[in-house]
Amino acid sequence: MLAGVFAAAAAGLAHHIAFLRGQVNSYEGSAAQLQVQLQHADNVVAVLDSPDSVHVVLTETREPTRPVGQVSWLASKGALVFMAGGLKPLPDNKTYELWLVPKLGKAPVPAGSFRPNADHGATVVLPPVPADTQVDRFMVTVEPEHGSETPSFPIVMQGR
């Protein structure tokens, strides 16, 4: 009888051990899958974050080029970097001009004039602008070749 009890207990333990092994294998599979997903995420971040990566904007090729610009503005220092692409060529007597439009209805501040290069791009880097200007928006207009004190219409680009 004692042998029967031991046999039943052994069978119960064997069944429990098999169940636990299944659980461990399941957790190991999940851990391996999570490790693969983590490695994939690390690879994505490396591509986006690496200084060696090249970032390219793709555009519709059947449509005319549209101008696009990006402003990086550090108000505390009055430091601005502007990069643009897709600019249309201008007549010799015209130039593009970048403007800071302050908050509270103050007059727009000229932040540099520029002409597009052969690739239809341009930059304005660290123009003299007042520090601590609270900017509502930035805009680009077409002005006479020596710039202007007030912006003309139409506005070519703008952003907040």
Side-chain angles (χ1 to χ4, degrees):
M1 173 123 144
L2 193 55
V5 171
F6 282 124
L13 285 174
H15 176 64
H16 189 66
I17 288 171
F19 172 76
L20 290 175
R21 280 192 181 142
Q23 291 284 49
V24 167
N25 289 339
S26 173
Y27 291 137
E28 286 175 352
S30 295
Q33 185 178 12
L34 288 174
Q35 186 63 33
V36 168
Q37 290 174 344
L38 180 60
Q39 183 62 46
H40 180 74
D42 285 343
N43 291 340
V44 169
V45 170
V47 168
L48 295 174
D49 196 41
S50 173
D52 296 329
S53 291
V54 174
H55 305 279
V56 177
V57 175
L58 303 178
T59 59
E60 169 68 51
T61 58
R62 295 174 291 173
E63 296 294 321
T65 304
R66 292 188 153 176
V68 62
Q70 176 181 333
V71 173
S72 296
W73 168 242
L74 183 57
S76 64
K77 296 186 182 238
L80 178 144
V81 174
F82 172 74
M83 296 177 284
L87 297 167
K88 294 178 183 172
L90 294 173
D92 289 340
N93 64 343
K94 297 289 185 178
T95 188
Y96 287 104
E97 191 156 7
L98 176 64
W99 301 88
L100 284 78
V101 180
K103 292 181 179 179
L104 305 173
K106 294 182 181 176
V109 177
S113 57
F114 55 94
R115 294 185 55 81
N117 61 24
D119 293 326
H120 306 282
T123 58
V124 175
V125 179
L126 302 176
V129 293
D132 293 319
T133 300
Q134 297 301 309
V135 177
D136 178 56
R137 71 181 186 272
F138 298 90
M139 61 186 190
V140 173
T141 59
V142 175
E143 302 295 340
E145 67 182 313
H146 298 294
S148 181
E149 291 300 314
T150 59
S152 302
F153 288 97
I155 298 169
V156 177
M157 291 186 273
Q158 69 177 336
R160 293 180 180 227

